[in-house]
Amino acid sequence: TTHLLLDASGWFPESTSYQPLTAARLLDTRPSGATTDGDYVAAGVRPAGSVLELPIAGRGDVPSDARIVVLTITVTAPRRDGFLTAYACEYAPPIASTLNFSNGVTIANLAMVSLGPDGSLCIVASADTHVVIDVVGWFRAAPPTT
């Protein structure tokens, strides 16, 4: 038995290019992990400060012309408190984190991340941790602003 909370963070008008997807796992560093295409699986704990370039476009029903993806990013078994940042590889990592985590705690966050020209994104964590990434949607162009 558990309690469940659901927060709505927003919505996209029909005029956007947003395309929702059934979640597809694109990265799972755990030894028992699995991905939708068998790539980027069971690589082990991501060392603190290491940058992983992860191809997204063309995997998990994300088309090659996608420019932004909506992801569920999860860290599990982190070895100390820290943060993870996901960003387009063509740029330096932003100062803001995508996900903050505590030692030993599994936690997830929903994020919209721009892809680089080659359809990849980069991930860096400040502490050793396993990382799991599921894609749940994509855009061809930048979402509208209000």
Side-chain angles (χ1 to χ4, degrees), residues 42-137:
V45 169
R46 296 295 310 156
S50 66
V51 176
L52 172 65
E53 186 170 344
L54 181 66
I56 301 289
R59 300 177 64 214
D61 292 328
V62 177
S64 60
D65 62 346
R67 292 296 160 246
I68 297 170
V69 287
V70 181
L71 307 169
T72 301
I73 301 174
T74 305
V75 296
T76 187
R79 299 199 173 147
R80 64 180 174 87
D81 295 354
F83 63 90
L84 178 142
T85 302
Y87 59 98
C89 299
E90 66 184 310
Y91 302 109
I95 294 172
S97 64
T98 306
L99 174 63
N100 298 309
F101 52 85
S102 299
N103 182 31
V105 176
T106 297
I107 189 167
N109 194 26
L110 188 69
M112 284 194 302
V113 181
S114 294
L115 300 177
D118 66 351
S120 294
L121 59 84
C122 282
I123 301 156
V124 63
S126 67
D128 295 355
T129 189
H130 281 289
V131 181
V132 179
I133 293 184
D134 299 320
V135 63
V136 296

Side-chain angles (χ1 to χ4, degrees), residues 23-37:
R25 182 140 304 156
L26 300 182
L27 173 70
D28 191 340
T29 66
R30 299 172 295 182
S32 61
T35 61
T36 189
D37 56 9

